[in-house]
Amino acid sequence: MTRLLRSKPVALAVSALLGGAVLLAWSQTWIIGTLAPGISLEERIPVGGDTAAPALAPLALAMVALVAALAIASRLVRVVLSVVFMLLGGVVVAVASGTLIDPLRAATASVVSSTGLEGEAAVASAVVALEVTPWPVVALIAGALVFVWGIVLALTSRGWGSASARYDTAAGTVDTKAAAPSKVSDWDSLSGGDDPTSPPGSR
């Protein structure tokens, strides 16, 4: 399990999936409000995550951008980006928790748009029931997982190989091979009467 967590492709894939989960939750219906009769032509008002928690979309996109940055960053920068990833998860948890704690406030914008009412008291009197869907909970869980995964990334990403290190290793291997004497050319020199170990000017 530890070896799997230290795998760079697996870590990046999990990070991208968590960011996608937050974005998916944001795109769904979070609250369904029921209005008092005669308030509006629509008795039930769906409130999407884009209205109840608009901050989740940029947070999710920031996570995806961090995945791309993690793929090419150096060891120290990866640790910093992992901490940022963890903090983004904490913000997602805070946003989703706010909707669960006060769904009426999260639904206010949609109620005002549908009814034309203004003021918290008027909105509260117009709404007779609020049904919270599972999606705010999904967003909260996804945010908590992002937070935990950010800690895992900070601890394990230091062991990833960097692209520059692999390039330097490959270049060094090529240079070593190029510098190594060719046995075939030495044999040809001996066949022609030359000593391949002698300095070039003495031949």
Side-chain angles (χ1 to χ4, degrees):
M1 184 65 178
T2 303
R3 188 173 183 179
L4 187 63
L5 290 176
R6 291 181 180 274
S7 171
K8 182 177 181 179
V10 172
L12 294 178
V14 172
S15 302
L17 286 174
L18 289 174
V22 173
L23 192 61
L24 174 64
W26 166 83
S27 66
Q28 304 301 312
T29 299
W30 282 35
I31 303 168
I32 299 176
T34 302
L35 301 178
I39 296 293
S40 173
L41 296 177
E42 298 179 77
E43 184 177 346
R44 291 169 63 84
I45 300 176
V47 181
D50 56 340
T51 301
L56 289 192
L59 290 173
L61 294 177
M63 293 175 195
V64 175
L66 280 177
V67 173
L70 282 168
I72 59 174
S74 63
R75 180 180 300 181
L76 180 60
V77 175
R78 285 197 298 264
V79 175
V80 175
L81 293 177
S82 300
V83 173
V84 175
F85 194 82
M86 177 190 69
L87 294 177
L88 290 176
V91 177
V92 171
V93 170
V95 172
S97 299
T99 300
L100 292 171
I101 293 172
D102 192 357
L104 179 60
R105 175 174 294 181
T108 296
S110 294
V111 174
V112 170
S113 177
S114 297
T115 63
L117 298 174
E118 295 183 3
E120 294 182 3
V123 171
S125 62
V127 177
V128 295
L130 287 172
E131 176 187 348
V132 179
T133 70
W135 288 106
V137 178
V138 172
L140 189 150
I141 294 174
L145 291 176
V146 169
F147 185 88
V148 174
W149 189 245
I151 298 175
V152 174
L153 288 177
L155 296 175
T156 60
S157 63
R158 291 175 293 179
W160 298 351
S162 64
S164 60
R166 288 196 299 271
Y167 175 79
D168 293 340
T169 302
T173 303
V174 172
D175 292 343
T176 302
K177 290 182 178 179
S182 172
K183 293 182 179 180
V184 176
S185 62
D186 290 348
W187 180 259
D188 291 341
S189 298
L190 286 172
S191 299
D194 296 330
D195 184 1
T197 61
S198 62
S202 63
R203 296 181 185 178

